[in-house]
Amino acid sequence: MARTALVTGGSRGIGAAISTALKAAGYSVAATYAGNDEAAAKFTEETGIKTYKWNVADYDESKAGISQVEADLGPIDVVVANAGITRDAPFHKMSPEQWKEVIDTNLTGVFNTVHPIWPGMRERKFGRVIVISSVNGQKGQFAQVNYAATKAGDLGIVKSLAQEGARAGITANAICPGYIGTDMVMAVPEKVRESIIAQIPAGRLGQPEEIARCVVFLASDDSDFINGSTISANGAQFFS
Ligand SMILES: NC(=O)c1ccc[n+]([C@@H]2O[C@H](COP(=O)([O-])OP(=O)(O)OC[C@H]3O[C@@H](n4cnc5c(N)ncnc54)[C@H](OP(=O)(O)O)[C@@H]3O)[C@@H](O)[C@H]2O)c1
Protein backbone atom coordinates (compact mmCIF):
# COMPACT_ATOMS: atom_id res chain seq x y z
CA MET A 1 0.00 0.00 0.00
CA ALA A 2 1.22 3.51 -0.81
CA ARG A 3 2.71 5.50 2.05
CA THR A 4 0.96 8.73 3.00
CA ALA A 5 2.74 12.10 3.00
CA LEU A 6 1.59 15.43 4.40
CA VAL A 7 3.18 18.62 3.06
CA THR A 8 2.34 21.87 4.87
CA GLY A 9 2.29 24.85 2.55
CA GLY A 10 2.15 22.24 -0.17
CA SER A 11 -0.01 24.16 -2.62
CA ARG A 12 2.50 26.78 -3.81
CA GLY A 13 6.22 27.32 -4.35
CA ILE A 14 8.66 24.79 -2.94
CA GLY A 15 5.83 22.92 -1.20
CA ALA A 16 3.93 22.43 -4.47
CA ALA A 17 7.05 20.94 -6.09
CA ILE A 18 7.48 18.65 -3.05
CA SER A 19 3.84 17.49 -3.14
CA THR A 20 4.08 16.80 -6.88
CA ALA A 21 7.39 14.93 -6.62
CA LEU A 22 6.12 12.77 -3.73
CA LYS A 23 3.00 11.91 -5.70
CA ALA A 24 5.16 10.97 -8.71
CA ALA A 25 7.23 8.76 -6.37
CA GLY A 26 4.09 6.83 -5.41
CA TYR A 27 2.93 8.47 -2.15
CA SER A 28 -0.65 9.41 -1.30
CA VAL A 29 -0.20 13.13 -0.73
CA ALA A 30 -2.12 15.76 1.23
CA ALA A 31 -1.07 19.39 0.77
CA THR A 32 -2.07 22.15 3.16
CA TYR A 33 -2.35 25.91 2.76
CA ALA A 34 -3.28 28.94 4.84
CA GLY A 35 -5.74 31.08 2.90
CA ASN A 36 -5.07 31.29 -0.83
CA ASP A 37 -8.10 29.23 -1.93
CA GLU A 38 -7.64 30.11 -5.59
CA ALA A 39 -4.04 28.82 -5.76
CA ALA A 40 -5.03 25.68 -3.83
CA ALA A 41 -8.00 24.92 -6.12
CA LYS A 42 -5.81 25.42 -9.20
CA PHE A 43 -3.13 23.15 -7.72
CA THR A 44 -5.66 20.38 -7.01
CA GLU A 45 -7.15 20.72 -10.48
CA GLU A 46 -3.71 20.46 -12.13
CA THR A 47 -2.24 17.67 -9.98
CA GLY A 48 -5.15 15.74 -8.46
CA ILE A 49 -3.55 16.29 -5.03
CA LYS A 50 -6.10 17.03 -2.31
CA THR A 51 -5.59 20.29 -0.40
CA TYR A 52 -6.59 21.12 3.18
CA LYS A 53 -6.83 24.58 4.75
CA TRP A 54 -5.57 25.25 8.26
CA ASN A 55 -3.24 27.62 10.04
CA VAL A 56 -0.07 25.81 11.16
CA ALA A 57 0.34 28.40 13.90
CA ASP A 58 -2.75 27.01 15.65
CA TYR A 59 -2.31 23.69 17.49
CA ASP A 60 -5.98 22.72 17.67
CA GLU A 61 -6.56 23.52 13.98
CA SER A 62 -3.48 21.50 13.04
CA LYS A 63 -4.58 18.53 15.15
CA ALA A 64 -8.09 18.54 13.68
CA GLY A 65 -6.75 18.94 10.12
CA ILE A 66 -4.29 16.08 10.58
CA SER A 67 -7.09 13.83 11.90
CA GLN A 68 -9.09 14.61 8.77
CA VAL A 69 -6.13 13.81 6.48
CA GLU A 70 -5.59 10.50 8.30
CA ALA A 71 -9.30 9.67 8.03
CA ASP A 72 -9.15 10.38 4.27
CA LEU A 73 -5.75 8.93 3.30
CA GLY A 74 -4.60 6.74 6.20
CA PRO A 75 -1.85 7.20 8.81
CA ILE A 76 0.79 9.77 7.89
CA ASP A 77 4.20 8.15 7.27
CA VAL A 78 6.03 11.21 5.94
CA VAL A 79 5.54 14.76 7.19
CA VAL A 80 7.17 17.69 5.44
CA ALA A 81 6.99 20.85 7.57
CA ASN A 82 7.40 23.39 4.80
CA ALA A 83 4.91 26.21 5.49
CA GLY A 84 6.77 29.42 6.21
CA ILE A 85 6.55 33.19 5.98
CA THR A 86 8.81 36.24 6.11
CA ARG A 87 8.11 39.58 7.82
CA ASP A 88 11.40 41.33 7.17
CA ALA A 89 12.62 44.48 8.91
CA PRO A 90 15.93 45.66 10.35
CA PHE A 91 15.99 44.76 14.04
CA HIS A 92 15.55 48.35 15.26
CA LYS A 93 12.37 48.60 13.22
CA MET A 94 11.06 45.06 13.78
CA SER A 95 7.76 45.09 15.67
CA PRO A 96 6.83 42.51 18.31
CA GLU A 97 4.00 41.51 15.93
CA GLN A 98 6.49 40.80 13.10
CA TRP A 99 8.58 38.74 15.52
CA LYS A 100 5.60 36.79 16.86
CA GLU A 101 3.95 36.07 13.52
CA VAL A 102 7.11 34.49 12.13
CA ILE A 103 7.86 32.53 15.32
CA ASP A 104 4.28 31.25 15.50
CA THR A 105 4.23 30.12 11.85
CA ASN A 106 7.78 28.93 11.14
CA LEU A 107 8.81 27.51 14.52
CA THR A 108 5.72 26.73 16.60
CA GLY A 109 4.14 25.65 13.30
CA VAL A 110 6.67 22.82 13.08
CA PHE A 111 5.78 21.67 16.61
CA ASN A 112 2.06 21.91 15.81
CA THR A 113 2.54 19.85 12.63
CA VAL A 114 4.80 17.09 13.90
CA HIS A 115 3.49 16.68 17.46
CA PRO A 116 0.05 15.21 16.59
CA ILE A 117 1.63 12.80 14.05
CA TRP A 118 4.55 11.63 16.21
CA PRO A 119 2.73 9.13 18.52
CA GLY A 120 1.36 7.22 15.49
CA MET A 121 4.81 7.05 13.92
CA ARG A 122 6.21 5.69 17.18
CA GLU A 123 3.49 3.03 17.37
CA ARG A 124 3.97 1.96 13.75
CA LYS A 125 7.78 2.04 14.09
CA PHE A 126 8.23 4.09 10.94
CA GLY A 127 8.30 7.78 10.17
CA ARG A 128 10.03 10.46 8.17
CA VAL A 129 10.06 14.04 9.49
CA ILE A 130 11.50 16.55 7.03
CA VAL A 131 11.69 20.23 7.94
CA ILE A 132 12.35 22.94 5.38
CA SER A 133 14.75 25.34 7.07
CA SER A 134 16.87 27.92 5.19
CA VAL A 135 20.40 29.04 4.42
CA ASN A 136 19.49 32.12 6.47
CA GLY A 137 18.98 29.93 9.54
CA GLN A 138 22.57 28.75 9.06
CA LYS A 139 24.23 32.12 8.44
CA GLY A 140 21.77 34.81 9.63
CA GLN A 141 20.55 37.61 7.38
CA PHE A 142 20.14 41.38 7.56
CA ALA A 143 16.52 42.27 8.39
CA GLN A 144 15.65 38.65 9.22
CA VAL A 145 16.31 38.28 12.95
CA ASN A 146 12.85 36.72 13.31
CA TYR A 147 13.12 34.43 10.27
CA ALA A 148 16.73 33.35 10.96
CA ALA A 149 15.81 32.52 14.57
CA THR A 150 13.03 30.19 13.42
CA LYS A 151 15.10 28.51 10.74
CA ALA A 152 18.01 27.93 13.16
CA GLY A 153 15.43 26.59 15.62
CA ASP A 154 14.25 24.10 13.00
CA LEU A 155 17.74 22.57 13.02
CA GLY A 156 17.55 22.12 16.80
CA ILE A 157 14.17 20.46 16.41
CA VAL A 158 15.38 17.84 13.92
CA LYS A 159 18.59 17.08 15.83
CA SER A 160 16.55 16.44 18.98
CA LEU A 161 13.75 14.50 17.25
CA ALA A 162 16.39 12.36 15.52
CA GLN A 163 17.67 11.21 18.90
CA GLU A 164 14.16 10.56 20.24
CA GLY A 165 12.92 8.76 17.14
CA ALA A 166 15.93 6.67 16.10
CA ARG A 167 14.97 3.55 18.09
CA ALA A 168 11.38 3.84 16.86
CA GLY A 169 12.30 3.76 13.17
CA ILE A 170 11.73 7.49 12.72
CA THR A 171 14.21 9.83 11.08
CA ALA A 172 14.14 13.63 11.26
CA ASN A 173 16.18 15.74 8.88
CA ALA A 174 16.27 19.31 7.60
CA ILE A 175 16.84 20.83 4.21
CA CYS A 176 18.35 24.30 4.01
CA PRO A 177 17.47 25.77 0.62
CA GLY A 178 19.38 28.76 -0.63
CA TYR A 179 17.43 31.30 -2.65
CA ILE A 180 14.75 29.58 -4.73
CA GLY A 181 12.65 31.28 -7.42
CA THR A 182 9.25 31.24 -5.66
CA ASP A 183 6.70 33.96 -4.83
CA MET A 184 8.55 34.53 -1.52
CA VAL A 185 11.76 35.51 -3.31
CA MET A 186 10.07 37.19 -6.28
CA ALA A 187 8.37 39.51 -3.73
CA VAL A 188 11.80 40.94 -2.86
CA PRO A 189 12.58 44.17 -4.81
CA GLU A 190 14.36 43.39 -8.10
CA LYS A 191 17.52 45.31 -7.12
CA VAL A 192 17.83 43.31 -3.89
CA ARG A 193 17.20 40.07 -5.81
CA GLU A 194 19.99 40.92 -8.26
CA SER A 195 22.38 41.56 -5.38
CA ILE A 196 21.39 38.20 -3.86
CA ILE A 197 22.06 36.35 -7.13
CA ALA A 198 25.45 38.06 -7.34
CA GLN A 199 26.37 36.33 -4.04
CA ILE A 200 25.48 32.84 -5.34
CA PRO A 201 28.48 31.16 -7.01
CA ALA A 202 26.09 29.13 -9.19
CA GLY A 203 24.94 32.49 -10.63
CA ARG A 204 21.24 31.68 -10.43
CA LEU A 205 18.31 31.05 -8.12
CA GLY A 206 17.49 27.43 -7.32
CA GLN A 207 14.39 25.70 -8.65
CA PRO A 208 11.68 24.31 -6.33
CA GLU A 209 12.15 20.89 -7.98
CA GLU A 210 15.79 20.84 -6.79
CA ILE A 211 14.54 20.94 -3.19
CA ALA A 212 11.76 18.43 -3.92
CA ARG A 213 14.30 15.85 -5.08
CA CYS A 214 16.10 16.12 -1.71
CA VAL A 215 12.77 15.50 0.05
CA VAL A 216 12.00 12.41 -2.04
CA PHE A 217 15.41 10.98 -1.08
CA LEU A 218 14.99 11.73 2.63
CA ALA A 219 11.48 10.21 2.57
CA SER A 220 12.70 6.98 0.99
CA ASP A 221 14.01 3.79 2.61
CA ASP A 222 17.40 4.61 1.03
CA SER A 223 17.94 7.35 3.62
CA ASP A 224 17.36 5.09 6.63
CA PHE A 225 20.72 5.83 8.33
CA ILE A 226 20.56 9.59 7.69
CA ASN A 227 19.07 11.07 10.84
CA GLY A 228 19.46 14.53 12.38
CA SER A 229 21.20 15.81 9.25
CA THR A 230 20.94 18.96 7.23
CA ILE A 231 21.10 18.97 3.44
CA SER A 232 22.25 22.34 2.12
CA ALA A 233 21.02 23.11 -1.40
CA ASN A 234 22.24 26.63 -2.10
CA GLY A 235 24.41 26.80 -5.22
CA ALA A 236 27.59 27.08 -3.07
CA GLN A 237 26.38 30.27 -1.39
CA PHE A 238 27.27 29.05 2.10
CA PHE A 239 29.00 26.05 3.71
CA SER A 240 27.98 24.97 7.20
N1 LIG B 1 11.88 30.61 -1.52
C1 LIG B 1 13.09 30.55 -0.99
O1 LIG B 1 14.07 31.07 -1.53
C2 LIG B 1 13.33 29.82 0.29
C3 LIG B 1 14.65 29.68 0.73
C4 LIG B 1 14.90 29.00 1.90
C5 LIG B 1 13.85 28.45 2.62
N2 LIG B 1 12.58 28.61 2.18
C6 LIG B 1 11.51 28.02 2.97
O2 LIG B 1 10.77 27.13 2.17
C7 LIG B 1 9.42 27.09 2.60
C8 LIG B 1 8.51 27.36 1.41
O3 LIG B 1 8.83 28.65 0.88
P1 LIG B 1 8.18 29.17 -0.49
O4 LIG B 1 9.13 30.18 -1.01
O5 LIG B 1 7.76 28.05 -1.33
O6 LIG B 1 6.91 29.97 0.09
P2 LIG B 1 5.60 30.50 -0.67
O7 LIG B 1 5.77 30.39 -2.15
O8 LIG B 1 5.33 31.83 -0.06
O9 LIG B 1 4.46 29.43 -0.22
C9 LIG B 1 4.19 29.31 1.15
C10 LIG B 1 3.20 28.20 1.40
O10 LIG B 1 3.01 28.09 2.82
C11 LIG B 1 1.65 28.29 3.14
N3 LIG B 1 1.55 28.96 4.44
C12 LIG B 1 2.05 30.14 4.81
N4 LIG B 1 1.72 30.43 6.08
C13 LIG B 1 0.95 29.39 6.52
C14 LIG B 1 0.27 29.10 7.72
N5 LIG B 1 0.29 29.94 8.78
N6 LIG B 1 -0.43 27.94 7.80
C15 LIG B 1 -0.48 27.08 6.76
N7 LIG B 1 0.15 27.30 5.60
C16 LIG B 1 0.86 28.45 5.47
C17 LIG B 1 1.10 29.12 2.00
O11 LIG B 1 -0.33 29.01 1.92
P3 LIG B 1 -1.19 30.08 1.04
O12 LIG B 1 -1.00 29.68 -0.40
O13 LIG B 1 -2.59 29.89 1.51
O14 LIG B 1 -0.62 31.43 1.35
C18 LIG B 1 1.82 28.47 0.82
O15 LIG B 1 1.20 27.25 0.48
C19 LIG B 1 9.29 28.12 3.72
O16 LIG B 1 9.41 27.50 4.97
C20 LIG B 1 10.48 29.02 3.47
O17 LIG B 1 10.90 29.67 4.65
C21 LIG B 1 12.28 29.28 1.03
Side-chain angles (χ1 to χ4, degrees), residues 1 4-6 28-30 50 52 54 62-79 113-124 126:
M1 208 173 106
T4 298
L6 173 72
S28 291
V29 180
K50 204 164 175 212
Y52 296 80
W54 72 75
S62 299
K63 202 171 169 194
I66 286 162
S67 290
Q68 187 60 54
V69 169
E70 295 200 318
D72 292 348
L73 301 182
I76 294 166
D77 305 295
V78 176
V79 55
T113 300
V114 179
H115 192 258
I117 296 170
W118 188 256
M121 288 181 165
R122 279 167 48 90
E123 267 172 37
R124 294 187 299 276
F126 180 84

Side-chain angles (χ1 to χ4, degrees), residues 11-12 14 34-36 54-56 82 133 147 151 178 180 182 185:
S11 62
R12 288 200 291 121
I14 293 172
N36 192 334
W54 72 75
N55 178 7
V56 297
N82 164 78
S133 174
Y147 183 83
K151 295 300 180 177
I180 310 297
T182 67
V185 166

Side-chain angles (χ1 to χ4, degrees), residues 16 32-33 37 61 74 94 104 109 133 136 143 186 189 208 228:
T32 81
Y33 69 105
D37 296 319
E61 265 188 46
M94 186 173 284
D104 288 353
S133 174
N136 290 346
M186 297 323 262

Side-chain angles (χ1 to χ4, degrees), residues 11 19 24 27 29 37 77 86 88 97 109 113 140 152 206 218 222 224:
S11 62
S19 301
Y27 295 84
V29 180
D37 296 319
D77 305 295
T86 52
D88 295 355
E97 290 72 28
T113 300
L218 288 177
D222 292 340
D224 213 36

Side-chain angles (χ1 to χ4, degrees), residues 142-220:
F142 186 94
Q144 286 198 330
V145 164
N146 50 2
Y147 183 83
T150 63
K151 295 300 180 177
D154 287 342
L155 303 183
I157 290 174
V158 299
K159 287 171 189 169
S160 304
L161 285 181
Q163 294 175 53
E164 292 196 25
R167 292 276 172 98
I170 307 171
T171 66
N173 292 287
I175 297 169
C176 284
Y179 285 87
I180 310 297
T182 67
D183 293 347
M184 184 184 270
V185 166
M186 297 323 262
V188 171
E190 195 177 345
K191 261 194 159 177
V192 177
R193 210 164 53 242
E194 279 168 11
S195 73
I196 289 169
I197 294 172
Q199 292 163 29
I200 305 172
R204 66 171 177 89
L205 297 174
Q207 298 299 317
E209 292 73 21
E210 293 179 298
I211 305 307
R213 287 195 284 274
C214 300
V215 171
V216 171
F217 170 64
L218 288 177
S220 74

Side-chain angles (χ1 to χ4, degrees), residues 13 20 38 40 49 58 85 103 123 128 139 152 162 175 187 198 201 208 219 235:
T20 308
E38 201 182 322
I49 294 170
D58 185 301
I85 58 168
I103 297 288
E123 267 172 37
R128 293 284 189 261
K139 70 173 190 59
I175 297 169

